Amino acid sequence: GAVVSQHPSWVICKSGTSVKIECRSLDFQATTMFWYRQFPKQSLMLMATSNEGSKATYEQGVEKDKFLINHASLTLSTLTVTSAHPEDSSFYICSATWGEVLTDTQYFGPGTRLTVL
Amino acid sequence: GQSLEQPSEVTAVEGAIVQINCTYQTSGFYGLSWYQQHDGGAPTFLSYNALDGLEETGRFSSFLSRSDSYGYLLLQELQMKDSASYFCAVRDHQGGKLIFGQGTELSVKP
């Protein structure tokens, strides 16, 4: 099956620093990638939708200047959390798909656990 | 908009059968998906129903009734490793993003 990787798997940073998380589709070209955030014991909340070569579409309430998304190629999307604060500590998960976004399966990465001190 | 409801937690014993229900409200429907997530892990795709009826994959089955805006995930011959959170999800008609339910935490006891 399709494989999506994320790097790093976990990261601890100081408040005020920036953190970059990579999402890669290893064996397919992802036309669309999605970024989710999940707080403990809660559901996955979509942050943004990323299409290769175009600007990301952010969900309501998600600050695009704080969560920078770059989808530079069909196999790589990055999420940069700028000026991170403790409330940004969360589990960040990407997913990727190709073809028809309305029906095709989304494949999830293993997630990145961010802890901001 | 879209919304999904599912029970917050379910407990069952090994070897038993458990059903996790999901009701949804959507503007435009493109199928109901189910995902499993173990603590600290990423969601794993289990099943997808676009049409009414039952889909079976091994010990797991998923059912959909579009007229009732309702579906369920059926887990048979429960094993300890099935203890996890289970999410139902629908697609948003704009952009295809997945909208997840709040998740059902399944605890399987010996």
Side-chain angles (χ1 to χ4, degrees):
Chain A
V3 178
V4 176
S5 71
Q6 279 185 242
H7 178 81
S9 55
W10 60 269
V11 57
I12 301 173
C13 70
K14 291 182 179 180
S15 186
T17 60
S18 294
V19 174
K20 179 184 283 189
I21 301 170
E22 293 185 348
C23 176
R24 292 182 185 273
S25 56
L26 298 185
D27 51 1
F28 66 98
Q29 293 187 320
T31 50
T32 304
M33 288 183 170
F34 302 87
W35 286 95
Y36 296 84
R37 180 167 55 181
Q38 186 179 34
F39 293 105
K41 300 294 185 184
Q42 293 188 24
S43 187
L44 287 83
M45 298 300 295
L46 182 69
M47 300 174 68
T49 302
S50 168
N51 292 293
E52 185 264 341
S54 61
K55 289 185 178 179
T57 302
Y58 290 80
E59 294 299 300
Q60 193 171 7
V62 178
E63 301 173 59
K64 61 182 180 181
D65 294 331
K66 180 172 181 61
F67 299 99
L68 301 178
I69 292 173
N70 183 12
H71 195 156
S73 75
L74 284 171
T75 59
L76 174 65
S77 177
T78 60
L79 167 68
T80 301
V81 183
T82 62
S83 187
H85 288 94
E87 56 266 30
D88 299 323
S89 297
S90 188
F91 193 45
Y92 291 87
I93 311 170
C94 71
S95 71
T97 189
W98 72 90
E100 178 53 60
V101 292
L102 287 174
T103 55
D104 287 343
T105 300
Q106 288 187 24
Y107 296 92
F108 284 83
T112 297
R113 189 161 303 281
L114 170 64
T115 302
V116 184
L117 302 177
Chain B
Q2 286 80 11
S3 67
L4 300 98
E5 284 194 21
Q6 52 181 128
S8 59
E9 53 185 38
V10 173
T11 302
V13 296
E14 261 188 307
I17 299 173
V18 73
Q19 179 174 310
I20 300 174
N21 298 319
C22 175
T23 57
Y24 59 86
Q25 286 186 313
T26 63
S27 48
F29 181 73
Y30 297 93
L32 184 70
S33 301
W34 288 92
Y35 288 82
Q36 178 192 61
Q37 186 181 32
H38 283 99
D39 203 27
T44 303
F45 173 77
L46 291 178
S47 69
Y48 171 69
N49 294 67
L51 302 176
D52 292 348
L54 191 68
E55 295 278 344
E56 297 181 72
T57 309
R59 295 188 296 114
F60 294 0
S61 303
S62 57
F63 172 82
L64 175 67
S65 169
R66 287 174 296 171
S67 60
D68 296 322
S69 297
Y70 163 76
Y72 66 72
L73 179 69
L74 190 73
L75 297 86
Q76 303 182 73
E77 300 173 20
L78 280 175
Q79 302 175 10
M80 298 295 289
K81 67 178 182 178
D82 297 329
S83 293
S85 291
Y86 292 84
F87 295 90
C88 56
V90 294
R91 295 293 176 98
D92 184 273
H93 68 286
Q94 292 181 330
K97 61 186 180 185
L98 278 170
I99 309 298
F100 286 85
Q102 287 303 303
T104 298
E105 187 170 353
L106 170 64
S107 297
V108 181
K109 307 292 186 186

